[in-house]
Amino acid sequence: MKIILYGGAFNPVHVEHKAIARAAADSLKADKLIVIPTAVSPHKSGQMHISDGDRLAMLKSAFADMPCAEVSDFELESGGVSYSYITCNHFRKLYPDAETYFLMGADMLASFDKWKNPQKILSCVKLVAVAREDEKKFLSFKERAEKLFSTEVATVNYVGKDVSSSRIRTLAALGEDISAYVLPSTCQYIQERQLYALKNLWEAKNLEKPSRWAHSVRVAAMCAANASRAGWTEEQAITAGALHDVAKNLEAGSPLLSGFVPPEGVPSPVMHQFSGEYVARTYFKIEDESILNAIKYHCSGRAAMTDCEMLLYLCDMLEEAHNFDGIELLRREFYKDIKYGMFAALLHQVKYLKSTGSEIYNLTEQAYLYLKEKLT
């Protein structure tokens, strides 16, 4: 008997989860595929959560048409942090004569040596991994794991699409369409129950032009994907991204700006960061100062920025639809380190403004000089 164990948060289950599982089951000719949602993942924190019952229900519906698949609530019933070595040991005892594999993606394989008791996992199961988006990187991760643990990692011949549960949660939070990323049954379940919805933010869509709102959604998704790097929760990151340009398309006489006093000496392209912070505070009732300050300085920056402020600034500048000379270099710097990424972005901005003869706002200059002194 050949069994595949497939664990994960599945928050929510998406089309690539299903495709990976099917590819692995076909590749190994598995008799049984056991899908195991985690109770609390040791590798993920700050994510938007839904109930265990909701995750379980969506998984059962998603895998209902795979005869070899079953969904196990072992980790949910066990509670607490879900460690794979405990789960693998449980199923090893349950199926002592089976040839058992533990299925993972390239990102999990890359960090396998940092898992709790990886040798105990390997005493219970064999590893099988899927390349997903980048086959070259995957092969390097595979070779490293095999060398470190003197084991063989089975390979599934499948390279999937780039689908992120974080992006799905962001879109659902903002009331956007998720049908491209999840199965129809999952989409219906999420929409009917309004899972992940941050309905207090939905009005922002009506305050922005469609193209501006699409940008805000992309910024929110990028912020959410990198939230933990700045010490934000996913919900904080989505809120900041969704509201950062909320005043961009408002007329000066808008009732939402009643009482707003524009600061003096602010270039017109920058003013909406201040009016946006005002609208977020007064109309959307945001009280989190880390969010409000990130909105307030997302165009200009300032000296001694927090990681949260830098995150929003960089996601606004580097989101996936933007394209300008040097952007790929700036993205690489961002993904290596937020502070160095911010310094590179400010240097790029200062050079650009000088080359066009445009005014360099004093806050931007102060932000640049502050990081230059700190990092060079």
Side-chain angles (χ1 to χ4, degrees):
M1 186 179 191
K2 194 175 287 187
I3 296 174
I4 298 174
L5 305 181
Y6 186 24
F10 302 111
N11 182 27
V13 59
H14 56 62
V15 291
E16 279 300 293
H17 289 138
K18 178 76 173 291
I20 287 168
R22 191 182 294 279
D26 290 345
S27 177
L28 294 176
K29 295 181 171 53
D31 301 290
K32 188 183 288 289
L33 170 77
I34 304 176
V35 185
I36 313 159
T38 56
V40 178
S41 172
H43 308 293
K44 299 175 182 178
S45 62
Q47 291 184 351
M48 298 178 70
H49 287 292
I50 55 176
S51 74
D52 293 345
D54 284 327
R55 283 192 293 143
L56 206 60
M58 287 190 285
L59 277 169
K60 288 180 177 178
S61 177
F63 285 92
D65 65 345
M66 284 185 66
C68 70
E70 65 178 59
V71 178
S72 169
D73 63 359
F74 169 73
E75 291 188 351
L76 298 180
E77 287 296 311
S78 298
V81 176
S82 302
Y83 289 113
S84 297
Y85 80 94
I86 295 174
T87 300
C88 290
N89 185 57
H90 167 78
F91 285 101
R92 182 66 174 170
K93 289 179 178 178
L94 199 61
Y95 300 101
D97 299 323
E99 183 180 0
T100 306
Y101 289 83
F102 187 86
L103 176 61
M104 59 175 60
D107 54 342
M108 297 166 70
L109 184 62
S111 63
F112 183 65
D113 60 309
K114 296 179 177 63
W115 290 26
K116 193 174 182 69
N117 297 328
Q119 291 287 10
K120 288 188 177 181
I121 295 174
L122 293 171
S123 71
C124 299
V125 300
K126 300 176 182 179
L127 299 184
V128 56
V130 182
R132 297 195 72 178
E133 301 86 35
D134 191 328
E135 188 173 5
K136 186 176 179 180
K137 270 188 181 179
F138 167 75
L139 290 174
S140 69
F141 298 153
K142 179 179 182 292
E143 290 171 5
R144 179 173 178 271
E146 289 178 334
K147 184 176 180 180
L148 276 174
F149 296 102
S150 300
T151 190
E152 183 178 346
V153 179
T155 303
V156 176
N157 186 25
Y158 173 84
V159 178
K161 299 175 183 177
D162 184 9
V163 177
S164 152
S165 291
S166 173
R167 180 181 292 272
I168 296 166
R169 292 191 295 271
T170 300
L171 293 175
L174 300 179
E176 296 296 297
D177 182 23
I178 60 172
S179 61
Y181 306 106
V182 297
L183 296 163
S185 63
T186 307
C187 186
Q188 182 178 354
Y189 191 97
I190 290 172
Q191 289 176 343
E192 286 180 352
R193 290 160 180 78
Q194 295 192 336
L195 302 182
Y196 309 106
L198 299 177
K199 290 193 283 185
N200 60 311
L201 302 179
W202 288 10
E203 176 62 19
K205 182 175 184 177
N206 297 325
L207 301 179
E208 298 181 22
K209 295 176 181 178
S211 61
R212 179 57 47 185
W213 176 246
H215 162 73
S216 294
V217 171
R218 292 190 298 269
V219 172
M222 189 173 177
C223 281
N226 292 278
S228 63
R229 298 176 63 201
W232 258 343
T233 65
E234 211 169 54
E235 183 172 335
Q236 288 173 305
I238 292 170
T239 301
L243 297 182
H244 81 285
D245 275 350
V246 72
K248 183 88 170 181
N249 300 131
L250 293 180
E251 298 292 337
S254 169
L256 271 65
L257 294 176
S258 176
F260 171 65
V261 180
E264 294 182 3
V266 180
S268 56
V270 176
M271 183 61 75
H272 73 279
Q273 69 178 17
F274 296 107
S275 55
E277 184 269 346
Y278 181 83
V279 172
R281 185 188 295 273
T282 59
Y283 183 75
F284 288 90
K285 308 301 181 185
I286 303 300
E287 298 178 350
D288 186 329
E289 292 297 329
S290 72
I291 295 173
L292 292 168
N293 282 329
I295 295 171
K296 190 173 183 177
Y297 301 107
H298 79 269
C299 291
S300 66
R302 63 169 174 169
M305 293 175 78
T306 66
D307 286 354
C308 298
E309 292 167 20
M310 288 188 280
L311 177 65
L312 182 59
Y313 182 104
L314 290 167
C315 291
D316 180 39
M317 183 181 192
L318 305 177
E319 59 98 339
E320 62 193 30
H322 282 176
N323 186 25
F324 54 82
D325 288 344
I327 193 169
E328 289 305 325
L329 174 61
L330 294 179
R331 284 173 177 152
R332 287 195 294 273
E333 290 298 315
F334 164 68
Y335 283 113
K336 284 192 291 186
D337 184 275
I338 287 180
K339 286 184 175 64
Y340 281 93
M342 186 70 197
F343 176 61
L346 286 167
L347 176 59
H348 180 277
Q349 184 71 357
V350 167
K351 285 182 176 179
Y352 171 76
L353 291 171
K354 286 182 177 178
S355 72
T356 59
S358 302
E359 176 186 0
I360 299 176
Y361 184 38
N362 67 300
L363 286 183
T364 302
E365 185 174 21
Q366 290 166 19
Y368 167 68
L369 292 174
Y370 178 87
L371 285 178
K372 182 179 181 181
E373 182 180 350
K374 291 288 183 181
L375 301 178
T376 62

